[in-house]
Amino acid sequence: MRIKLIIAYDGRPFEGWQSQPSGRTVQDQMEEALGRIAKARISLHASGRTDTGVHALGQVAHFDAPPGSSMDAAAWKRALNANLPSTIRVMASERVLEDFHARFSVIKKTYRYEIDTGEVLQPLRAGLAWHYPQFVERERISDAIQCYLGEHDFAAFAANRGDGKDVDSIRTIHEARLESRGETLILTFTGNGFLYRMVRLLTGSAMHCATGGEPVSWIMDLLEPGGGKHSSHCAPADGLTLVNVDY
Amino acid sequence: MRIKLIIAYDGRPFEGWQSQPSGRTVQDQMEEALGRIAKARISLHASGRTDTGVHALGQVAHFDAPPGSSMDAAAWKRALNANLPSTIRVMASERVLEDFHARFSVIKKTYRYEIDTGEVLQPLRAGLAWHYPQFVERERISDAIQCYLGEHDFAAFAANRGDGKDVDSIRTIHEARLESRGETLILTFTGNGFLYRMVRLLTGSAMHCATGGEPVSWIMDLLEPGGGKHSSHCAPADGLTLVNVDY
């Protein structure tokens, strides 16, 4: 029986999603809880990794319940929440068919990036927003992020994960939106997939334009296919949240 | 030179405002930072205490700069923020006359209490809201908190601080408001002063009515002068924030 989980986490205390020898990752905590409940090793497959410090409202993962387990999806949710720290919560669970795969069945993902432009960062926002206490031209952020819309080769907006894998860097961005809430800027990106650190590079590069570092045409140049250029303007992990994964 | 500070803090890592032998209070952290900056012991006077786990967006405190100090209010703010953990921030500072006193000059205070009624508490809300995953009759909360408006003897809504002081328990509540944001209920109370744990008792008692524990007339009975009754329904510290102090 395959179970799909919707998982929320506070990224601050963790070294990202993906299992590490330290054990201080969300996947490690979840697999440890699954192991305690099932009294057997269970592997969890997520929609994708998130970096150290990145938060999630709607990360998705699946696992296969051990043969003979009498627990239904709701029971797994309750048991997991009873065995996890309050910084990780299973928000929803459901039984899915065996052909569902949290990573390979993804249709689109939505990320949110929050930037706080206030002079002093509120303590309750520490680790949840990029503190950027400078004048920001909001229209230039809008102009910059409009360039990302559609299908592009985003190689200029990808960091090297260092695992030697050569990945196809063509992605489609369906939505790129800027909202303001007081001194907070909220960027929302929806796309069919995102390369390693791509959302942080899209955000950092747009902010570089918005604070006068480069004209918006610089973004267009970076998106030229085969240009071989790279943006080095990567926004910090703090402000990033994986909001939703659609299947 | 007297300096007034507006201070925000995340209450989670602290044992409240008021100095304790452990040193893990907001006042201790602030006085330690002031001492490092001034190289002399400086006492800080706040508008009032907040309990362990209670947050602040606009706590107010004052101190007297040592004679001969050349620092203005803006320099104190910068120096303090450079010497404080990110869980405490001085949001604003200004020079005030010697007759200003952060505690004795208070005209009114505003507190906010947040209740999350969702089935599972979002990890980013842990410690910031009272998790109350039950059906709540919102109209009964409104009806209950309306009873608090005006001048009353709030002795039934005060905890004993245990310091043997006999305090006058007449207070005036100017505003008591309920807002909903999705599954979150936000209660806002503005008054000329609040007794020990009063906001948590006002909230807990209103919730006791809203979940069918007692009719709203029970609140009216508790407010009867000299009734000698007490509410034992104290909401946890998690959801409480000192929003603003007016002078």
Side-chain angles (χ1 to χ4, degrees):
Chain A
M1 183 164 86
R2 185 158 290 186
I3 309 279
K4 174 189 172 191
L5 303 174
I6 297 181
I7 305 158
Y9 44 88
D10 179 344
R12 287 172 290 192
F14 300 109
E15 294 171 10
W17 170 270
Q18 170 106 339
S19 188
Q20 298 288 340
S22 70
R24 285 196 299 272
T25 73
V26 181
Q27 185 181 7
D28 290 318
Q29 299 278 323
M30 298 256 347
E31 289 186 345
E32 202 187 302
L34 283 168
R36 268 201 301 275
I37 297 161
K39 295 181 176 57
R41 162 129 187 78
I42 295 180
S43 294
L44 194 62
H45 303 272
S47 71
R49 309 177 192 184
T50 54
D51 275 359
T52 300
V54 174
H55 317 287
L57 290 173
Q59 169 69 293
V60 175
H62 80 262
F63 68 93
D64 291 320
S69 163
S70 62
M71 290 169 71
D72 66 5
W76 279 105
K77 177 173 105 167
R78 280 194 303 273
L80 280 164
N81 283 335
N83 280 277
L84 285 165
S86 64
T87 43
I88 306 175
R89 291 287 97 178
V90 176
M91 304 305 291
S93 62
E94 66 172 311
R95 186 179 179 170
V96 287
L97 297 175
E98 305 288 315
D99 64 355
F100 173 87
H101 192 289
R103 181 158 161 227
F104 302 122
S105 312
V106 172
I107 291 174
K108 58 186 186 178
K109 286 186 175 185
T110 299
Y111 280 95
R112 187 170 72 200
Y113 197 100
E114 299 199 23
I115 300 161
D116 192 309
T117 63
E119 188 202 336
V120 179
L121 186 64
Q122 288 276 5
L124 293 174
R125 301 284 296 147
L128 301 178
W130 181 12
H131 188 215
Y132 204 100
Q134 283 174 47
F135 175 74
V136 177
E137 266 202 69
R138 298 178 186 208
E139 269 194 37
R140 287 190 79 174
I141 305 183
S142 289
D143 291 349
I145 64 177
Q146 292 317 301
C147 303
Y148 300 140
L149 285 173
E151 187 181 271
H152 298 281
D153 182 344
F154 284 99
F157 299 93
N160 191 335
R161 211 196 279 274
D163 56 7
K165 283 186 204 154
D166 211 16
V167 285
D168 164 35
S169 50
I170 307 289
R171 294 290 183 280
T172 300
I173 300 290
H174 304 293
E175 192 182 0
R177 187 157 39 97
L178 171 68
E179 290 162 280
S180 294
R181 203 180 296 156
E183 289 175 316
T184 300
L185 305 174
I186 304 166
L187 294 166
T188 306
F189 295 101
T190 300
N192 66 350
F194 292 88
L195 301 164
Y196 186 49
R197 299 226 166 135
M198 180 167 147
V199 180
R200 290 163 59 185
L201 284 156
L202 296 179
T203 301
S205 305
M207 287 294 281
H208 187 54
C209 291
T211 52
E214 296 280 357
V216 171
S217 61
W218 169 73
I219 303 262
M220 310 281 261
D221 284 349
L222 287 167
L223 289 168
E224 278 296 308
K229 291 175 190 154
H230 262 89
S231 170
S232 59
H233 296 276
C234 186
D238 298 40
L240 187 58
T241 301
L242 172 55
V243 175
N244 197 56
V245 186
D246 287 323
Y247 292 92
Chain B
M1 184 163 85
R2 186 158 288 188
I3 308 280
K4 174 189 172 191
L5 304 174
I6 297 180
I7 305 158
Y9 44 88
D10 179 343
R12 288 173 288 192
F14 300 109
E15 293 172 10
W17 169 270
Q18 170 106 338
S19 189
Q20 298 288 340
S22 70
R24 286 196 299 270
T25 72
V26 181
Q27 184 181 6
D28 290 318
Q29 299 279 322
M30 298 257 345
E31 289 186 346
E32 201 186 303
L34 283 167
R36 269 201 300 276
I37 297 161
K39 295 178 177 60
R41 161 128 186 79
I42 295 180
S43 293
L44 194 62
H45 302 272
S47 71
R49 310 177 192 184
T50 54
D51 274 358
T52 301
V54 174
H55 317 287
L57 290 173
Q59 169 69 292
V60 175
H62 81 263
F63 68 93
D64 291 319
S69 163
S70 61
M71 289 169 70
D72 65 6
W76 279 105
K77 177 173 104 167
R78 279 193 304 274
L80 280 165
N81 283 335
N83 280 278
L84 285 165
S86 64
T87 42
I88 306 174
R89 291 286 97 178
V90 176
M91 303 306 289
S93 62
E94 65 172 309
R95 184 176 179 173
V96 287
L97 296 176
E98 305 288 316
D99 65 355
F100 173 86
H101 192 287
R103 180 157 161 230
F104 302 122
S105 311
V106 172
I107 291 174
K108 57 185 186 177
K109 287 185 175 186
T110 299
Y111 280 95
R112 186 170 72 201
Y113 197 100
E114 300 198 22
I115 300 160
D116 193 310
T117 63
E119 188 202 337
V120 179
L121 186 64
Q122 288 276 6
L124 292 174
R125 302 284 296 147
L128 301 179
W130 182 13
H131 187 215
Y132 204 101
Q134 284 175 47
F135 175 74
V136 176
E137 265 202 70
R138 298 179 187 207
E139 269 194 39
R140 286 189 79 171
I141 305 183
S142 290
D143 291 348
I145 65 178
Q146 292 317 302
C147 303
Y148 300 139
L149 285 173
E151 188 182 270
H152 298 282
D153 182 343
F154 285 98
F157 300 93
N160 191 335
R161 211 196 278 274
D163 54 8
K165 281 186 205 156
D166 211 16
V167 285
D168 164 36
S169 50
I170 308 288
R171 294 291 183 280
T172 301
I173 300 290
H174 304 294
E175 193 182 358
R177 190 158 36 98
L178 170 69
E179 291 162 281
S180 294
R181 204 179 295 155
E183 289 175 316
T184 300
L185 304 175
I186 304 167
L187 295 167
T188 307
F189 296 101
T190 300
N192 67 349
F194 293 88
L195 300 164
Y196 185 50
R197 300 227 164 133
M198 180 168 148
V199 181
R200 291 164 59 186
L201 284 157
L202 297 179
T203 302
S205 305
M207 287 295 280
H208 186 56
C209 291
T211 53
E214 295 280 356
V216 171
S217 60
W218 170 72
I219 302 262
M220 309 281 262
D221 284 349
L222 287 167
L223 289 167
E224 278 296 309
K229 291 176 192 154
H230 262 89
S231 171
S232 59
H233 297 275
C234 187
D238 299 41
L240 186 58
T241 302
L242 172 56
V243 175
N244 197 57
V245 186
D246 287 322
Y247 291 91

